[in-house]
Amino acid sequence: MIEIKNVKKNFGKNEVLKDVSLKVNKGDVVVLLGPSGSGKTTLLRCINFLEQADEGILTIDGQTVNLHKASSKEKLQIRKKTAFVFQNYGLFQNKTALQNITEGLITARKVPTKEAIKKAEEVLAWVGMLDKKNYYPSQLSGGQQQRIGIARAVALDPDVILFDEPTSALDPELVGEILTLIRNVAKKGITMIVVTHEMSFAQEVASKVVFMADGVVIESGTPKEIFYTPKEERTKKFLERILPQDDYYI
Amino acid sequence: MGFKLDNFTESLKSGIKYLPITAKLTLVAIIIGLIIGLFIAILRYYKIPVISHILTVLITIYQGLPIMVALLIYNLLFSYYIGPFIDFFHLNIDVNKVNNIIVAYFALSLAAITTMSETFRGALNSIEKTQFEAGYSVGLTKFQTFKRIILPQVIPVAIPGLINNLVGVIKGTSFVMAIGVLEVTNASLIPCFKTFSYVEGYLAAAIIYWFFTIILEVILSTIEKKYSKKSIKSEVIYV
């Protein structure tokens, strides 16, 4: 179980997160929705210490850390329990597809090389990229790179995978196949927190939808609750702009 | 003032005999420049408090100082203080035998450090932030990320600039004649003191530098090609 409590984050005078709390059960797929600048991505990055929160407590797998003043050892421990899928793939440019996956296993988790390669080939086969295992990221298309990015996250066997708009850098044709892949990750029962603007994906896959705006959680609930019976005015407004009108009015 | 081939070959021979000195001056300056330059670039890139500010100021100031002026200043200080220095530490060295080539090493190394640290810094800045974040996100430490992910990407980017810095240092070694160190330029002129064949002397020096630089550049650009093959940037194969 993952629990985030009272996370606050400012960028200069700009309050990006104002006291955000979130509970994620094991196996949950939590989708963070909200307009740009609402702090979804920042929240995700705070969980992985890619951004240092000004305040907040994080509990993952029984380990509790202060998001503001975690030691580098604690940061490392938390990072080993999480995996991150980047918007612009974030593959190591100097490593092949296979090495991209084995790097975190061998160097960070001290998995024996042979075992790591076996595991990497397994996940590469699972995302359908085994034949490209010796390709460098620059030789692959965006969709292929994101497949490897997802394979890398899955191979690490984390408590939670954080997806930061995994499809928004892809051209529309490729979005579908990556979403299918993420659906398959969800089917594996891996806990996920997904920031996305893909509404139909959120409706179908999410076990919980969290709507954020202006640095606070406006409301959260099942996809049905959020999309069809939103309680808050702010949520209704947002959905009105994004969904076809009669999609959520009953 | 005719061109005398004999005087030219004489100067050429004399100059080539001192090519090892020029090579040594270059090599020492480059190695020190590479190591300390990279180190400074890293300190400045990671914005280590206080130190990085001091380094920024120092490097900005030092970049405005011509090698020639620096050499003359250091040489002056050296000749003033080497005697008292030896006395103070009771070193068993004869003041008259201390070679001021050490001043040349010092001045050239400092010049190499400043230019190379800037080259490394530029290369570091060219690396996307996501590369660092990706490293951290899979659980690598800061050091592991730098060593295994960032540095291998920085080097191919830095190599053309570093070759440029190297050529600059080679040319810079010729200034060393101003403080009386015998190297290629100075040595090429030795025969001219008798024959007054300065045109031949300078031309001989020019040709030696020319070949030295070209040979080094050819060697280094092969290394560069080998390196950049590892992370193919331009060639995109969509399959």
Side-chain angles (χ1 to χ4, degrees):
Chain A
M1 194 185 75
I2 298 151
E3 196 169 8
I4 307 155
K5 258 193 211 157
N6 308 102
V7 181
K8 289 179 190 168
K9 171 77 186 168
N10 296 341
F11 286 120
K13 276 187 180 169
N14 187 8
E15 269 187 276
V16 184
L17 294 175
K18 312 166 187 165
D19 203 2
V20 175
S21 299
L22 190 66
K23 231 180 184 178
V24 182
N25 291 320
K26 202 164 170 30
D28 265 1
V29 178
V30 174
V31 171
L32 294 180
L33 286 183
S36 307
S38 59
K40 318 174 293 282
T41 295
T42 311
L43 179 65
L44 212 61
R45 290 168 59 86
C46 282
I47 297 174
N48 209 11
F49 292 103
L50 293 179
E51 214 77 70
Q52 190 176 26
D54 298 331
E55 253 177 70
I57 307 278
L58 168 70
T59 309
I60 290 188
D61 189 29
Q63 189 184 8
T64 304
V65 291
N66 186 321
L67 284 173
H68 179 57
K69 29 180 200 223
S71 66
S72 29
K73 200 180 150 200
E74 283 175 320
K75 282 185 194 173
L76 215 59
Q77 285 169 343
I78 296 294
R79 278 174 181 158
K80 283 181 189 170
K81 291 178 185 176
T82 59
F84 206 95
V85 176
F86 293 88
Q87 185 175 356
N88 44 5
Y89 330 127
L91 297 183
F92 306 129
Q93 294 294 328
N94 60 323
K95 306 244 177 237
T96 61
L98 186 83
Q99 290 168 339
N100 258 284
I101 298 170
T102 56
E103 187 65 37
L105 293 168
I106 298 171
T107 313
R109 285 166 183 76
K110 309 285 177 237
V111 176
T113 311
K114 255 191 189 162
E115 220 173 285
I117 292 175
K118 201 178 142 228
K119 174 93 196 171
E121 284 178 341
E122 235 173 74
V123 284
L124 276 175
W126 183 67
V127 299
M129 292 288 295
L130 189 58
D131 54 328
K132 307 277 190 308
K133 67 175 182 180
N134 291 324
Y135 281 56
Y136 284 94
S138 54
Q139 296 167 299
L140 299 168
S141 71
Q144 292 172 330
Q145 288 191 56
Q146 195 59 297
R147 279 164 181 273
I148 292 163
I150 292 168
R152 178 170 72 181
V154 172
L156 297 174
D157 204 11
D159 288 307
V160 59
I161 302 182
L162 310 165
F163 290 84
D164 180 17
E165 303 190 26
T167 56
S168 49
L170 295 169
D171 66 82
E173 222 181 339
L174 295 171
V175 170
E177 63 176 65
I178 294 301
L179 289 179
T180 311
L181 186 58
I182 298 173
R183 257 179 222 120
N184 291 338
V185 178
K187 276 182 198 150
K188 281 186 162 216
I190 300 173
T191 316
M192 314 198 292
I193 304 179
V194 187
V195 171
T196 185
H197 293 293
E198 300 293 332
M199 293 301 151
S200 52
F201 169 81
Q203 273 193 45
E204 184 196 330
V205 180
S207 45
K208 184 175 170 186
V209 174
V210 176
F211 177 72
M212 281 177 76
D214 305 316
V216 287
V217 173
I218 304 283
E219 66 175 303
S220 64
T222 62
K224 248 188 184 161
E225 286 167 1
I226 299 292
F227 286 111
Y228 295 101
T229 53
K231 292 186 196 80
E232 303 292 329
E233 207 43 51
R234 187 72 186 82
T235 319
K236 285 179 193 164
K237 244 186 179 169
F238 176 75
L239 293 171
E240 229 168 84
R241 274 186 222 134
I242 290 192
L243 298 174
Q245 289 285 323
D246 49 2
D247 229 34
Y248 70 97
Y249 285 124
I250 305 169
Chain B
M1 200 177 77
F3 184 88
K4 291 204 184 89
L5 198 62
D6 284 354
N7 293 344
F8 175 72
T9 44
E10 189 91 352
S11 283
L12 207 57
K13 273 184 204 160
S14 173
I16 286 174
K17 226 166 54 190
Y18 283 87
L19 187 58
I21 301 284
T22 294
K24 222 163 89 184
L25 281 167
T26 311
L27 195 71
V28 169
I30 289 299
I31 289 173
I32 293 176
L34 279 174
I35 297 168
I36 302 182
L38 176 62
F39 192 61
I40 290 177
I42 293 169
L43 290 178
R44 288 182 69 192
Y45 184 82
Y46 281 102
K47 300 201 172 65
I48 310 293
V50 189
I51 299 172
S52 65
H53 295 291
I54 296 172
L55 286 171
T56 307
V57 172
L58 283 181
I59 289 195
T60 315
I61 292 173
Y62 202 81
Q63 272 190 321
L65 187 65
I67 295 185
M68 180 69 116
V69 178
L71 263 172
L72 293 172
I73 293 171
Y74 299 146
N75 196 43
L76 204 62
L77 293 174
F78 178 78
S79 52
Y80 269 138
Y81 291 111
I82 188 65
F85 181 82
I86 287 171
D87 287 345
F88 186 78
F89 288 102
H90 303 291
L91 299 173
N92 198 13
I93 304 169
D94 185 357
V95 179
N96 299 317
K97 279 188 186 153
V98 177
N99 192 337
N100 65 349
I101 194 162
I102 198 164
V103 175
Y105 280 128
F106 184 71
L108 289 171
S109 297
L110 273 181
I113 288 169
T114 44
T115 53
M116 290 181 141
S117 80
E118 286 299 273
T119 306
F120 276 125
R121 207 167 60 88
L124 267 170
N125 282 334
S126 77
I127 306 295
E128 271 182 67
K129 260 238 149 75
T130 331
Q131 293 294 311
F132 290 86
E133 292 178 347
Y136 302 150
S137 81
V138 300
L140 301 184
T141 61
K142 248 185 173 178
F143 180 73
Q144 285 170 336
T145 304
F146 188 80
K147 192 181 132 213
R148 304 183 55 89
I149 310 298
I150 307 303
L151 196 57
Q153 296 184 55
V154 165
I155 290 171
V157 181
I159 283 178
L162 292 175
I163 293 177
N164 202 16
N165 296 152
L166 168 77
V167 172
V169 172
I170 294 174
K171 288 173 184 163
T173 60
S174 69
F175 289 127
V176 167
M177 71 174 287
I179 61 167
V181 172
L182 263 178
E183 40 64 67
V184 170
T185 315
N186 223 346
S188 301
L189 296 178
I190 295 174
C192 312
F193 298 138
K194 282 184 232 150
T195 58
F196 295 102
S197 54
Y198 283 100
V199 178
E200 290 88 339
Y202 287 128
L203 202 63
I207 284 176
I208 296 171
Y209 282 117
W210 199 42
F211 273 99
F212 185 47
T213 316
I214 285 178
I215 289 167
L216 274 179
E217 272 195 73
V218 169
I219 294 171
L220 291 170
S221 55
T222 11
I223 296 175
E224 183 192 341
K225 268 184 207 138
K226 219 171 153 189
Y227 241 109
S228 52
K229 241 185 216 160
K230 267 184 85 181
S231 61
I232 309 153
K233 280 260 160 71
S234 51
E235 206 184 329
V236 180
I237 314 161
Y238 287 101
V239 192

